[in-house]
Amino acid sequence: MSHRVLVNGEPAAMISVFDRGLSYGDGLFETIRFVHGVAPLWSRHMDRLREGCRRLRLPQPDPEALLREAGEVTHGIVHAVVRITLTRGVGERGYAPPPSPTVTRVVAGFDAPLMSGEAYLSGVRVRWCDTRLSAQPLLAGLKHLNRLEQVLARAEWSDPAVAEGLMCDAGGWVMSGTMSNLFAVIDERLVTPALDRCGVAGVARAELLAARPQAVVSDLHPTDLARASEVFLSSSVRGVLPVQAVGDTVYVPGPVTRALQQHWRDLGFPMEQA
Amino acid sequence: MSHRVLVNGEPAAMISVFDRGLSYGDGLFETIRFVHGVAPLWSRHMDRLREGCRRLRLPQPDPEALLREAGEVTHGIVHAVVRITLTRGVGERGYAPPPSPTVTRVVAGFDAPLMSGEAYLSGVRVRWCDTRLSAQPLLAGLKHLNRLEQVLARAEWSDPAVAEGLMCDAGGWVMSGTMSNLFAVIDERLVTPALDRCGVAGVARAELLAARPQAVVSDLHPTDLARASEVFLSSSVRGVLPVQAVGDTVYVPGPVTRALQQHWRDLGFPMEQA
């Protein structure tokens, strides 16, 4: 499934067992969709990565080197996903960050996962997860390497007919999917949960919010979701996916979903690969 | 600083960039103090590791293989620390755990850090950290690989005269140090915070609680700590360390601290290496 990998710019497939990415999850990642060698949301991914480096006090990345390496690992793949991982590099034992870390940079190319055209047309089935997202404002929004909550949530089901699980915070507010962000149309307003306490602020979410400035970022309760007229998921890898059911609650893709799917296509992303 | 490393039983220093330990922090670790090739708290470390594997649904480790490998990487080191890291192994992209993972096992030997005899005699200085521990009952107590909160907390100071930082949860309750557990004597009772919402349930803490069955596991507020007659830290690597000051609040090592230091020595741990 994986193709080419570069570690600090060199073809490689291994990193040191003393890398702080392994020891403590001390780093960040991005998963970026490429189509015919182009990543329409590249600059948004770089924005989030820069912001993550600032907040974790990691040295800032070199976007030109990353773009060159992403091009290298996706060469010849029409529909690709690039995972960029940045860690605080090799360290001595102990949590104290080295004063001048040498960042480890892993750039890996994969085939993009294929979703059926039917999923984009009729929507996907979604479930509620029992695993809650804990509140940590210092890390909220970032795509950092501490992802055990998502692993535990995703381990709650194996039925391939269920495409995603929704996660709430400890207070019972809906936050996101395990690997996607959530949007709903409620009282004719487009709403997506605030992610200043937990969750990953997706690049696709940022793109959709920019495309719909009238959208509202706000707390969202499961009872609000139950009365939504449209529900969809956003993901930089999968695009705009209508939700046809959350548990027993059924939805029908509506005009807002369709308009944002069209926006997604206009960016250059196909949504009917299989 | 590091000596020998075994990856899945073979001398090696690298792991796959696709290891889920790096990708998601999907794994656990232990840091175990060895003296002349013996780890007095070995069975407690194995208990915690087993419990962690159970809760993260990782295959159970083979303690005999781990002990053999720990002996190998500490051979000839009088005062050693062994870090054992277990991850869910190499995985495809995505949070879903492989149904039958092949665990990655890293066993690395280090020289034990040397604390001064003065630290054990007079105590160490400690500060308050601004970084809070988030509440996640599903992970609380485990020594898992998602340790960004500890990294951020430890990055708050670089003054070598400050040996440790204390962390509170979001509600302002004192939980632990960044790399140690906290005990206090308050109204003549030995108290240590409950760790069912966050924090790492240390092996040294478990040993001291077993040695003092009358000790109380309970929520601890900073105002309680301020009026404690004794405060000390526990760590399987560093032992029982009296606290001489938390910020501006000064303490003097007292009889409970001294008795538990003696317990520590009786287990076979020296506390005056340097």
Side-chain angles (χ1 to χ4, degrees):
Chain A
M1 180 187 173
S2 161
H3 293 265
R4 273 148 286 189
V5 189
L6 300 171
V7 178
N8 297 326
E10 301 293 329
M14 310 285 276
I15 61 155
S16 166
V17 295
F18 300 116
D19 195 281
R20 291 174 60 96
L22 172 67
S23 298
Y24 307 125
D26 190 5
L28 300 160
F29 70 112
E30 294 286 335
T31 49
I32 308 174
R33 183 78 162 83
F34 278 72
V35 183
H36 290 289
V38 175
L41 297 181
W42 178 262
S43 64
R44 289 195 186 278
H45 286 285
M46 291 303 109
D47 289 347
R48 180 170 62 183
L49 199 54
R50 262 191 297 268
E51 168 71 1
C53 287
R54 190 187 64 73
R55 286 169 62 188
L56 295 187
R57 290 188 250 184
L58 283 169
Q60 287 292 331
D62 174 356
E64 287 182 22
L66 291 176
L67 187 57
R68 191 172 56 243
E69 291 168 16
E72 215 171 302
V73 299
T74 56
H75 187 73
I77 314 175
V78 174
H79 294 293
V81 172
V82 172
R83 177 171 161 139
I84 295 175
T85 308
L86 298 183
T87 81
R88 210 182 303 268
V90 171
E92 301 290 302
R93 218 180 49 75
Y95 295 127
S100 305
T102 302
V103 165
T104 300
R105 182 174 84 246
V106 180
V107 179
F110 301 83
D111 285 325
L114 295 180
M115 298 292 292
S116 69
E118 184 59 23
Y120 291 113
L121 190 64
S122 308
V124 294
R125 282 179 50 206
V126 168
R127 75 193 296 282
W128 290 104
C129 291
D130 293 327
T131 304
R132 300 296 178 98
L133 289 165
S134 63
Q136 177 48 274
L138 295 177
L139 299 174
L142 301 184
K143 204 167 172 85
H144 54 69
L145 295 173
N146 281 198
R147 300 264 73 111
L148 269 173
E149 290 178 338
Q150 282 76 17
V151 170
L152 290 178
R154 186 58 190 80
E156 290 184 31
W157 84 97
S158 54
D159 178 356
V162 176
E164 177 60 303
L166 297 187
M167 300 183 73
C168 294
D169 71 359
W173 298 92
V174 193
M175 288 293 143
S176 66
T178 64
M179 58 174 176
S180 60
N181 288 115
L182 176 73
F183 286 81
V185 178
I186 299 167
D187 298 333
E188 302 192 4
R189 290 195 317 174
L190 181 61
V191 180
T192 190
L195 299 175
D196 49 358
R197 300 188 307 274
C198 51
V200 177
V203 159
R205 173 179 178 272
E207 174 65 27
L208 299 183
L209 285 173
R212 282 268 166 160
Q214 66 273 44
V216 178
V217 175
S218 141
D219 284 344
L220 190 67
H221 198 265
T223 54
D224 301 321
L225 199 64
R227 63 190 187 83
S229 57
E230 303 180 42
V231 177
F232 61 90
L233 304 171
S234 68
S235 150
S236 59
V237 169
R238 288 178 177 77
V240 178
L241 267 176
V243 170
Q244 65 169 236
V246 180
D248 294 335
T249 309
V250 174
Y251 304 94
V252 175
V256 178
T257 309
R258 295 304 185 208
L260 288 170
Q261 287 188 312
Q262 188 56 49
H263 177 80
W264 204 253
R265 276 185 210 98
D266 293 343
L267 289 170
F269 294 111
M271 295 201 295
E272 296 87 7
Q273 295 103 311
Chain B
M1 179 187 175
S2 161
H3 293 265
R4 273 147 287 190
V5 188
L6 300 172
V7 177
N8 297 326
E10 300 294 329
M14 309 285 276
I15 61 155
S16 166
V17 296
F18 300 116
D19 194 281
R20 292 173 61 95
L22 173 66
S23 299
Y24 307 125
D26 190 6
L28 300 161
F29 70 112
E30 294 287 333
T31 48
I32 308 174
R33 183 78 163 81
F34 277 73
V35 182
H36 290 289
V38 175
L41 298 180
W42 177 262
S43 65
R44 290 195 185 278
H45 285 285
M46 291 302 110
D47 288 347
R48 181 171 62 184
L49 198 55
R50 261 191 298 268
E51 168 70 2
C53 287
R54 190 187 65 74
R55 286 170 61 188
L56 296 187
R57 290 186 250 185
L58 283 169
Q60 288 291 331
D62 174 355
E64 288 182 21
L66 291 176
L67 188 58
R68 192 171 57 242
E69 293 169 14
E72 215 171 303
V73 299
T74 56
H75 187 72
I77 314 177
V78 173
H79 293 293
V81 172
V82 172
R83 177 172 160 138
I84 295 175
T85 308
L86 297 182
T87 81
R88 210 181 303 270
V90 171
E92 300 290 301
R93 218 181 49 74
Y95 295 126
S100 304
T102 303
V103 165
T104 300
R105 180 174 86 245
V106 180
V107 179
F110 301 83
D111 285 326
L114 296 180
M115 298 292 292
S116 69
E118 183 59 22
Y120 291 112
L121 189 65
S122 307
V124 295
R125 282 179 49 207
V126 167
R127 76 193 295 282
W128 290 105
C129 291
D130 293 327
T131 304
R132 301 296 178 98
L133 289 165
S134 63
Q136 177 48 273
L138 294 177
L139 299 173
L142 301 185
K143 204 167 172 84
H144 55 68
L145 296 174
N146 281 198
R147 301 264 73 109
L148 270 173
E149 291 179 339
Q150 281 76 16
V151 171
L152 291 178
R154 186 59 190 79
E156 290 184 31
W157 84 96
S158 54
D159 179 356
V162 176
E164 176 61 302
L166 296 186
M167 301 183 72
C168 294
D169 71 358
W173 298 92
V174 194
M175 288 293 143
S176 66
T178 64
M179 57 174 178
S180 60
N181 288 117
L182 176 73
F183 286 81
V185 179
I186 299 167
D187 298 333
E188 303 191 4
R189 292 195 317 175
L190 181 61
V191 181
T192 190
L195 299 175
D196 48 358
R197 302 189 305 274
C198 51
V200 176
V203 158
R205 174 179 178 270
E207 174 64 28
L208 299 183
L209 285 173
R212 282 265 165 162
Q214 66 273 44
V216 179
V217 174
S218 139
D219 285 342
L220 190 67
H221 197 265
T223 53
D224 300 322
L225 199 63
R227 63 190 187 83
S229 58
E230 303 180 41
V231 177
F232 61 89
L233 304 171
S234 68
S235 150
S236 58
V237 169
R238 289 178 177 76
V240 178
L241 267 176
V243 170
Q244 63 169 236
V246 180
D248 295 334
T249 310
V250 174
Y251 304 94
V252 175
V256 178
T257 308
R258 295 304 185 207
L260 288 170
Q261 288 188 312
Q262 188 56 49
H263 177 79
W264 204 252
R265 277 187 210 96
D266 292 344
L267 289 170
F269 294 112
M271 294 202 296
E272 296 86 8
Q273 296 104 310

